[in-house]
Amino acid sequence: MKKLTALILSLVMVLSLAACGGSGNDSSKDSSGGGAPSNSNGSASSDGKADDIVLWTLAADLKQFAERYEEQTGNHVEVVVFDSADFSTKIMQTLGGKSKDVDVFVGEPQMLPNFFEAGFSADLSALDSEVKSRLVDYTYEAGCDEDGVLRAISYQACPGSVIYRLDLAREVFGTDDPDEIAKHFSSFDEIRVTAQTLKEHGYSIFGDTGSLRWFSTSSNPWVKDGQLIVDQDRLDYFDCAVDLYQNNYVAFAQEWSAPWYASMAGPLPQLSATDVDEGTVWGMDKDDLLAQGQAGGAGITQVFSYVMPSWGALIVRDNAEGNKGNFGICSGVCGFFGGGTFLTINEYSEHKEAAQQFIEFCTLNDETAQWWLEASNGDVVSSKAVLEANSDYENESFGNQHTYAFYLEEMEKIDYSLITGYDDTIKDAFGNAIISVQKGEQTKEAAMQEFYTTVTTLLPEISIPDDAPFYSPS
């Protein structure tokens, strides 16, 4: 029952998103809307062979895996793609009724603890030693339940990095070497200095302060022994986010907005927080943005860097246009990861053997991993052997940097023991506290007190230490 509250909250948040009629501007989501699944072959059934299975997924990528699997084995996998806003609810409703209609389903890391606790994911211990030795360490840990039983396996790894402009780095810092640029992102204090330096040259360090959220778990878990931990690193993160915002060190181009995508290709007008709050720029392309900026007398800026998991590097690459090849990647405040598609077997499936064979094909077959690394044009696979085999690969989209070698090193910095099932709820509340101070709506003291109240209301099993910063016990 340890995560029961988190499970309920997860369902409430998903239902709320569905009630709001959508989930933003994520182009990766299925276009069917309303939670309707998209069947890969337009049919509700396979040919009925014993080795045929049904897969429910968020990732359309798995259609390609299924096609390759059928080509090589003759076994059919019916792939059903769901909109992400409805997926957790659909799994909870369907498997809560012990349905046998799905054999394999996916989960992102933050979803897995709820699926495991609900008893929906079958035991994959037969593959434990192979997964532990061959796949990236943190993906193994993420796929295990609280008792250390393996229940999900990923074909991806999603380590984080700072993605930065090579030309602007040379101009401002005299070098574009990733080890040197990493020093400018090595702490929150360094980030503030870096932001000031960039502003003096007419540039913005990030699109918006949301980039910093990836560094919010750097030295301690958010919850330990039932108590919330707000350490100095988190206070530094808070202060840095406020300073970047209030000193106009960012471009106010929020993630997933039109200005954010446009910033990867070149200059933007220097937007204000009001532009974003009023929603006046969300639907504009980069030419419209520049025209509006010039008409309104706004200055011009360029975004220097983006903080994202490895899949974010592909977004930058695909929106860079003439800047393609003009980016590098380096380390930041701490190692982190985000997202990733984990495959798990429905505990109630009548085709567990066939389901396990498909999962092994996707995750523990190095030939498949090499194929996907090439077919995806840049996805980072979880196979350590395949990443090492490609460590000398020069990525022309990132200044011919050895990106796979870099990601291998970054994954060694990921400390999965810092991850808890409460993180998403707490991070959202902490982010709201930061925003209220950024906009001058509350003092830091008042915002932190409200943060503590929110956490204990949403997660009553968590207590606040009496000596927590800015905490006034009632």
Side-chain angles (χ1 to χ4, degrees):
M1 300 298 289
K2 182 177 179 183
K3 294 192 180 74
L4 180 58
T5 304
L7 172 60
I8 294 170
L9 284 167
S10 175
L11 284 170
V12 169
M13 287 187 290
V14 171
L15 287 169
S16 297
L17 282 170
C20 290
S23 54
N25 192 36
D26 186 345
S27 61
S28 69
K29 293 169 186 169
D30 186 83
S31 60
S32 54
S38 170
N39 192 288
S40 62
N41 59 10
S43 169
S45 62
S46 64
D47 60 11
K49 293 193 303 180
D51 289 332
D52 289 350
I53 59 173
V54 176
L55 164 68
W56 283 11
T57 179
L58 291 163
D61 297 343
L62 284 167
K63 291 181 180 180
Q64 297 177 62
F65 282 84
E67 291 168 359
R68 185 175 176 85
Y69 182 68
E70 185 166 4
E71 290 172 359
Q72 295 192 4
T73 67
N75 299 326
H76 179 69
V77 179
E78 182 178 328
V79 180
V80 185
V81 182
F82 287 88
D83 184 278
S84 60
D86 306 290
F87 186 72
S88 290
T89 303
K90 184 69 174 178
I91 292 294
M92 291 298 178
Q93 291 173 341
T94 303
L95 300 192
K98 299 185 178 181
S99 173
K100 301 175 182 177
D101 292 340
V102 55
D103 302 297
V104 177
F105 64 99
V106 308
E108 294 180 348
Q110 70 273 19
M111 302 175 183
L112 296 178
N114 291 338
F115 295 162
F116 296 164
E117 187 175 355
F120 297 158
S121 296
D123 188 332
L124 294 174
S125 295
L127 302 177
D128 185 280
S129 61
E130 195 172 1
V131 172
K132 189 173 185 179
S133 63
R134 293 179 55 193
L135 302 189
V136 169
D137 292 347
Y138 92 81
T139 65
Y140 167 77
E141 295 177 87
C144 292
D145 66 16
E146 286 189 328
D147 297 320
V149 177
L150 181 68
R151 297 189 182 276
I153 311 173
S154 179
Y155 60 90
Q156 293 174 310
C158 302
S161 67
V162 177
I163 305 158
Y164 65 94
R165 283 274 297 272
L166 297 173
D167 57 339
L168 303 187
R170 291 190 293 269
E171 177 188 339
V172 176
F173 302 112
T175 179
D176 61 15
D177 181 83
D179 291 335
E180 292 301 314
I181 300 303
K183 296 176 183 177
H184 297 284
F185 292 91
S186 59
S187 70
F188 293 113
D189 284 341
E190 285 294 336
I191 287 174
R192 288 150 99 171
V193 173
T194 300
Q196 182 177 3
T197 302
L198 286 164
K199 185 180 180 182
E200 290 169 357
H201 286 75
Y203 305 127
S204 301
I205 186 169
F206 302 127
D208 73 351
T209 59
S211 294
L212 291 175
R213 75 188 186 280
W214 295 105
F215 301 138
S216 65
T217 303
S218 57
S219 56
N220 282 295
W222 275 103
V223 178
K224 186 175 183 179
D225 298 328
Q227 289 194 320
L228 182 71
I229 299 177
V230 178
D231 59 14
Q232 189 58 50
D233 279 347
R234 296 203 167 104
L235 295 178
D236 290 344
Y237 157 49
F238 192 118
D239 292 341
C240 185
V242 171
D243 284 352
L244 296 189
Y245 185 98
Q246 294 185 345
N247 288 297
N248 296 318
Y249 291 152
V250 295
F252 297 101
Q254 291 184 345
E255 284 186 0
W256 318 119
S257 70
W260 183 73
Y261 285 108
S263 71
M264 300 167 192
L268 286 177
Q270 178 62 64
L271 303 171
S272 69
T274 302
D275 291 322
V276 178
D277 290 342
E278 293 180 350
T280 58
V281 297
W282 281 74
M284 296 184 181
D285 62 24
K286 63 180 185 301
D287 293 332
D288 290 336
L289 286 164
L290 286 171
Q292 173 175 296
Q294 290 165 354
I300 298 297
T301 188
Q302 297 200 58
V303 173
F304 180 70
S305 61
Y306 308 83
V307 184
M308 285 188 286
S310 51
W311 45 260
L314 307 186
I315 294 174
V316 172
R317 177 199 67 191
D318 293 343
N319 288 277
E321 297 182 6
N323 273 331
K324 186 175 180 179
N326 194 25
F327 288 91
I329 55 176
C330 70
S331 302
V333 175
C334 62
F336 68 89
F337 71 93
T341 303
F342 285 73
L343 296 159
T344 183
I345 297 175
N346 177 11
E347 177 62 37
Y348 312 111
S349 169
E350 295 180 337
H351 306 101
K352 289 182 180 176
E353 183 176 347
Q356 181 172 311
Q357 288 174 358
F358 176 69
I359 288 179
E360 289 183 72
F361 172 84
C362 293
T363 63
L364 292 170
N365 183 315
D366 285 348
E367 182 181 327
T368 300
Q370 181 65 41
W371 159 78
W372 181 243
L373 187 147
E374 296 171 3
S376 65
N377 194 25
D379 202 4
V380 179
V381 297
S382 57
S383 168
K384 289 186 283 190
V386 171
L387 290 175
E388 289 166 357
N390 289 272
S391 61
D392 290 334
Y393 169 73
E394 295 183 348
N395 192 329
E396 64 179 10
S397 296
F398 291 90
N400 291 323
Q401 190 172 345
H402 295 158
T403 50
Y404 294 121
F406 168 83
Y407 285 130
L408 269 170
E409 292 180 4
E410 285 302 294
M411 283 185 277
E412 293 296 319
K413 302 175 185 176
I414 296 172
D415 184 354
Y416 196 78
S417 69
L418 300 179
I419 308 302
T420 80
Y422 304 112
D423 290 359
D424 284 351
T425 300
I426 295 172
K427 287 179 180 179
D428 285 347
F430 200 66
N432 289 335
I434 291 172
I435 290 170
S436 70
V437 177
Q438 286 176 334
K439 295 183 176 181
E441 297 169 348
Q442 293 191 92
T443 65
K444 183 178 181 180
E445 291 78 4
M448 286 298 297
Q449 188 63 39
E450 184 173 309
F451 162 67
Y452 292 132
T453 300
T454 300
V455 170
T456 53
T457 300
L458 295 177
L459 303 169
E461 65 270 37
I462 294 176
S463 62
I464 312 298
D466 288 344
D467 62 351
F470 306 103
Y471 179 55
S472 299
S474 56

